[in-house]
Amino acid sequence: MRCPRCGNGRLFRGWFRMAGRCDACGFSYEREPGFFLGSIYFNYGLTSLITAILYPALHFGWGLPNGPVMAACATFAVLFPIWFFRYARALWLGFDEWVDPRDDPRQRAGGGGRTE
Ligand SMILES: [Zn+2]
């Protein structure tokens, strides 16, 4: 939940409101418009994985009836991504910076696209 570059600046100003850039080093969090669409990979992927394990474990493993297990899994599939939203964005930002670090100061300042 901190800046992937310096580790000091907070990513979020509220529960869903993200800071534009790091308070400590000026690192722009949004690399390009729509950048955080990629965080859905983490959010949807983890939600699907947990639900795909949870339902068979509760229904077939523990023998719980289908109705309540379906209701519990559906509720989980709605609430978990809302709670995980911030962590998914932080993971996506950290992953992106790890795979393709931005060394260009113009990009760090949010000055535009890639120069490669
Ligand atoms: Zn920073």
Side-chain angles (χ1 to χ4, degrees):
M1 303 302 280
R2 299 282 180 168
C3 172
R5 178 162 304 247
C6 71
N8 292 319
R10 291 180 176 273
L11 294 181
F12 286 86
R13 302 254 185 265
W15 188 257
F16 292 111
R17 199 164 67 94
M18 196 162 190
R21 60 184 58 245
C22 177
D23 290 336
C25 71
F27 179 76
S28 176
Y29 295 143
E30 190 165 6
R31 187 171 214 160
E32 58 198 8
F35 171 73
F36 285 107
L37 204 61
S39 69
I40 293 171
Y41 295 125
F42 286 103
N43 210 343
Y44 176 75
L46 192 59
T47 302
S48 300
L49 181 69
I50 292 172
T51 307
I53 292 170
L54 193 64
Y55 177 82
L58 293 176
H59 185 60
F60 299 112
W62 287 17
L64 297 176
N66 183 51
V69 172
M70 279 293 269
C73 286
T75 303
F76 174 83
V78 170
L79 296 180
F80 178 78
I82 295 170
W83 172 79
F84 195 64
F85 171 82
R86 295 157 50 100
Y87 301 99
R89 282 195 165 202
L91 283 168
W92 177 249
L93 183 61
F95 175 76
D96 180 72
E97 188 60 17
W98 176 61
V99 169
D100 187 15
R102 288 175 266 178
D103 295 325
D104 187 344
R106 286 171 297 175
Q107 287 185 336
R108 198 178 313 149
R114 297 173 187 213
T115 55
E116 300 166 48

